[in-house]
Amino acid sequence: MTARVVPVELGERSYSIHIGSGAWRLLEEHLRGRDPAGRVMIVTDERVNSVYGRRIGELGEASKPPAVVAVVPEGEGSKSFAHLEDLCRKMAGAGLDRSSLVVALGGGVVGDLAGLASSLFVRGIRLIQAPTTLLAMVDSSTGGKTGINLPEGKNLVGTFHQPEAVFADTDVLRTLHPRDWYSGMAEVIKIALTLDPELFLYLEEVTDLGPDGDVDIARVVTSACRRKAEIIEADEWESGPRLILNFGHTLAHALEASMSYGEIRHGEAVLLGMKAALALSKRICGLPDDQFDRAVRVLGRIPVPEVKLEEDLLGYMTRDKKRSEGRVQSVLLEAIGRCRIVPLDDPGELVRSLSSFHSEG
Ligand code: GLY
C-alpha cells in the first residue's frame, strides 16, 4: 500500500487526507480502531454498491457493532430534501446517536448528501469521506462543504461540516465511467490553472489525460488536495481566497440547474464555465494570449457533449450563492496560477463569452 498523506490544519477540526492505492485498508483500520460507542453508517449509492458491495460489507464488519449500510439512488437527483429526509430517517431507524459516525463512500452526490445529513442529524455527528470518483477526490470530499439542490439553483441548501478523515483509494478509479474520469480531470485542470502552475506544466506534458492514459493519478490527486488544503486552511468559511475554487462555477452551476441536473456532468459544466472565464480573463484581467492558448489547449483535451445554452441561464446566475451586493462574483485569471475576483455587473458576459467560443469553433 502506498498512501500519501495531506494534512488539513484547522485547529481542533484538523484531519488528514490519505491518498493512494489501497487507502480503504487504512479506512478499515480506522473503523476497527475506533471507540465502539456509537453505531457507524456507511452511505453509498446504487452503482458503487453494485460494484463494491462485498468490500463495503467487509469495511462495515470492521466496526463493532457492524456498520449499517444505506444505499441512495445514483445521480444528482439524490441531492434533494426528499432524499435528505429519507437518509435522516434511516439514521434514526438504525439507532444512530451523537457518538455515531457516518462514512460517505461514493462520489460528490453521496459526499454532499451524507455530509449534510451528518451535520444535521442530532445536531451533528462525525463524518468520514471515502470518495470514489476523481472529482470527489480532488474537490468535494475535502473542505467540509455539504449540500442539496433546489429547482432554483445548485447547492443552495447546505452546511460546512468538516470530516474527521478522508480516504481516497485510487484503485477504485479503475471502474470509473470515462465521462466521470474526464469530469474529475476538469476539476484537476481548474486547480492547476488557478493555484498550481507546476501541476499545469505536468498536465501539458502528459500525452493522454484519459483513463487509459499516462497520468500519474496519485500524484495529481495529491497535488490537487495539497492546494485545496492550503486554501481551506486560509479561508475555511469561504469569505475570501476559497472563492478561487469556484473558477468556472458560476456558469457551470447555472448550466447544471438549467438542464435539470444530471444531463451534464459537473466537471463538464465547469469546463465550459472555465472556457468562458478564460475569454473574460483575457479581456478584463490581461491574461496573456500565449497563456490563454495553452489553457484552452489543455481544456480542449477533455471531451464535452454539445450543450444548448438555455435562455434562463442568467436567472440561475443571479441566484448564485457567491453574489455580493447584488453582483455575481466571478473568478478570473491574470496569469496561470494567479487569480482575481471580479464583480460582474452583467453576468450575461459569461454566456456571451462561451457563445463566442463556440462560434469561433
Ligand atoms: N468546491 C469548492 C470548495 O470546496 O470550496
Side-chain angles (χ1 to χ4, degrees):
M1 179 169 33
T2 47
R4 306 174 198 210
V5 180
V6 174
V8 186
E9 304 288 355
L10 293 171
E12 59 187 20
R13 291 184 305 287
S14 296
Y15 54 96
S16 294
I17 312 170
H18 305 268
I19 302 154
S21 167
W24 278 4
R25 261 179 277 155
L26 297 176
L27 168 59
E28 199 167 347
E29 280 167 30
H30 187 97
L31 293 176
R32 191 163 286 119
R34 73 180 284 276
D35 177 353
R39 194 96 205 231
V40 175
M41 174 178 269
I42 300 177
V43 182
T44 191
D45 74 14
E46 281 162 356
R47 178 172 189 274
V48 175
N49 196 44
S50 71
V51 182
Y52 294 106
R54 219 176 55 181
R55 185 74 185 105
I56 291 170
E58 287 166 5
L59 287 170
E61 292 292 324
S63 78
K64 297 279 170 289
V68 275
V69 178
V71 182
V72 302
E74 185 190 0
E76 201 67 29
S78 284
K79 286 178 58 172
S80 67
F81 270 111
H83 287 284
L84 177 65
E85 179 184 348
D86 193 50
L87 189 53
C88 289
R89 292 188 64 186
K90 282 191 173 128
M91 289 175 173
L96 269 64
D97 61 22
R98 285 231 170 107
S99 55
S100 290
L101 167 72
V102 169
V103 180
L105 193 147
V109 167
V110 166
D112 284 2
L113 175 69
L116 180 55
S118 71
S119 75
L120 297 174
F121 187 72
V122 293
R123 301 203 173 86
I125 55 179
R126 287 180 298 143
L127 170 71
I128 284 180
Q129 292 278 4
T132 58
T133 62
L134 183 54
L135 189 139
M137 287 184 190
V138 298
D139 190 39
S140 55
S141 61
T142 301
K145 279 190 183 174
T146 78
I148 55 173
N149 304 322
L150 295 179
E152 287 79 6
K154 175 134 170 147
N155 293 338
L156 284 183
V157 175
T159 55
F160 286 98
H161 186 55
Q162 298 293 346
E164 66 175 32
V166 179
F167 295 92
D169 192 329
T170 47
D171 288 346
V172 302
L173 297 176
R174 279 195 229 117
T175 52
L176 206 56
H177 189 288
R179 258 182 94 181
D180 289 319
W181 172 280
Y182 283 116
S183 178
M185 202 47 79
E187 288 279 357
V188 171
I189 299 172
K190 176 200 81 177
I191 297 264
L193 281 174
T194 50
L195 295 165
D196 196 335
E198 212 177 289
L199 177 61
F200 185 76
L201 277 175
Y202 172 73
L203 297 175
E204 280 185 307
E205 279 162 16
V206 165
T207 36
D208 179 354
L209 292 172
D212 300 317
D214 50 338
V215 185
D216 176 348
I217 202 63
R219 174 198 161 155
V220 160
V221 173
T222 305
S223 299
C225 287
R226 200 164 277 139
R227 296 287 91 77
K228 180 151 184 185
E230 286 162 4
I231 289 283
I232 303 303
E233 286 165 2
D235 179 23
E236 184 179 357
W237 312 108
E238 196 174 54
S239 55
R242 186 166 180 173
L243 287 166
I244 291 171
L245 297 174
N246 297 315
F247 182 57
H249 279 58
T250 303
L251 184 54
H253 284 170
L255 281 167
E256 288 175 90
S258 75
M259 295 168 80
S260 311
Y261 306 108
E263 275 171 61
I264 186 166
R265 303 286 208 271
H266 176 64
E268 294 165 350
V270 169
L271 187 136
L272 295 173
M274 286 194 284
K275 276 185 162 183
L278 283 171
L280 272 195
S281 300
K282 195 157 85 155
R283 197 160 62 67
I284 297 179
C285 294
L287 175 69
D289 284 347
D290 64 315
Q291 296 195 27
F292 171 85
D293 292 342
R294 285 170 59 204
V296 171
R297 212 172 299 128
V298 170
L299 288 176
R301 293 166 66 191
I302 306 295
V304 191
E306 280 289 313
V307 296
K308 191 169 157 287
L309 302 180
E310 303 289 345
E311 277 163 21
D312 49 356
L313 275 178
L314 273 184
Y316 287 108
M317 271 193 280
T318 47
R319 284 191 289 273
D320 193 272
K321 294 185 296 310
K322 272 89 61 185
R323 267 179 318 162
S324 173
E325 289 162 17
R327 294 198 287 179
V328 169
Q329 304 292 306
S330 192
V331 183
L332 301 181
L333 288 191
E334 293 175 334
I336 291 173
R338 204 170 68 239
C339 307
R340 200 197 305 162
I341 295 165
V342 179
L344 289 183
D345 287 321
D346 174 14
E349 286 194 86
L350 279 170
V351 185
R352 289 193 289 279
S353 289
L354 186 60
S355 316
S356 68
F357 236 104
H358 280 209
S359 53
E360 279 166 22

